[in-house]
Amino acid sequence: MEPVPHANPNLRRAPVQQRSAERLARILDACAGLLDETGYEQLSTRDVALRAEVPIGSVYRFFSNKRALVDALALRNLDSYAERITARLAVIPADDWRAAIDAVLDEYLAMKRTVPGFALVDFGPPSLIEGPADDANRRLAGRLADLLAGHLGRPAGPDLLRAVLVSVQAADALLQLAFRIDPSGDPAIVAETRTLVRAYLAQILD
């Protein structure tokens, strides 16, 4: 099952030419790197432009403000995560749902530890941003439910979606704790998270 990239609603203008797409990628890469270095509060569109080596007008051509920029990075992360999960699932037997769930968790941990900006902005804006925000966990659960349904040969119905959403919400809280305790993710909390999610999903996937 191939992941389908989702349209990015944060873009003022979608890139049409390859050169424009490459410029957008550089802007998002610069944003991710600066998030690791300065955090969200100190992030500025001017610094992003300097890091990306593009005119400030190029940033505003795509984004109205830094919130839209960070939201776009979060959606790019989600698309990348879905692609990586798809690659992992391709070598896992369709009847081994536990291995599939392990792949979902392991890839998240890998991205959390290695992908620039991901520690602060994974699939949604930082929690410190005020105002209404997209429900990142609900969006993530929808993508994961579709991927798992396709891999396991099950219908992507409301029961599966609800179970995945509950699992995502629980894992999110526990992994936030794990990474507060240890910058690399406390191994004991990560293990407990895996046990909890497996035990809960067994009710619907066994």
Side-chain angles (χ1 to χ4, degrees):
M1 180 177 177
E2 292 294 326
V4 179
H6 287 202
N8 196 321
N10 300 289
L11 291 177
R12 278 179 157 176
R13 182 182 302 177
V16 177
Q17 297 180 342
Q18 180 67 22
R19 183 178 179 182
S20 182
E22 290 172 353
R23 180 169 290 189
L24 173 59
R26 289 207 310 275
I27 291 170
L28 291 175
D29 289 344
C31 175
L34 286 167
L35 281 169
D36 281 340
E37 296 172 20
T38 69
Y40 178 79
E41 290 293 343
Q42 300 302 315
L43 182 73
S44 74
T45 52
R46 182 172 298 278
D47 287 341
V48 169
L50 287 172
R51 175 67 63 87
E53 298 182 339
V54 301
I56 185 66
S58 292
V59 177
Y60 286 116
R61 178 172 178 249
F62 292 116
F63 305 105
S64 57
N65 52 42
K66 73 175 184 179
R67 168 61 190 268
L69 175 56
V70 168
D71 285 348
L73 177 63
L75 287 179
R76 188 178 75 163
N77 286 340
L78 181 56
D79 282 336
S80 177
Y81 182 59
E83 291 171 2
R84 293 175 181 220
I85 293 300
T86 299
R88 283 181 179 257
L89 293 179
V91 297
I92 294 174
D95 60 350
D96 191 352
W97 69 262
R98 288 174 177 80
I101 296 304
D102 282 344
V104 168
L105 180 58
D106 290 341
E107 188 55 52
Y108 178 83
L109 293 170
M111 292 182 72
K112 188 87 167 174
R113 293 164 179 155
T114 63
V115 173
F118 195 86
L120 184 59
V121 176
D122 49 17
F123 309 120
S127 58
L128 53 84
I129 296 180
E130 296 182 358
D134 290 340
D135 189 341
N137 283 344
R138 189 174 296 276
R139 188 167 57 214
L140 172 60
R143 296 292 289 275
L144 289 178
D146 286 343
L147 288 171
L148 289 171
H151 179 71
L152 300 174
R154 295 168 176 264
D159 290 344
L160 178 61
L161 177 59
R162 182 172 56 252
V164 173
L165 177 59
V166 170
S167 300
V168 165
Q169 196 74 34
D172 181 38
L174 287 169
L175 292 177
Q176 284 187 40
L177 173 62
F179 280 87
R180 280 200 303 271
I181 294 173
D182 181 339
S184 297
D186 180 76
I189 300 296
V190 170
E192 293 292 337
T193 303
R194 196 183 304 273
T195 298
L196 183 150
V197 170
R198 279 183 163 203
Y200 171 71
L201 287 176
Q203 302 175 86
I204 188 171
L205 294 180
D206 265 346

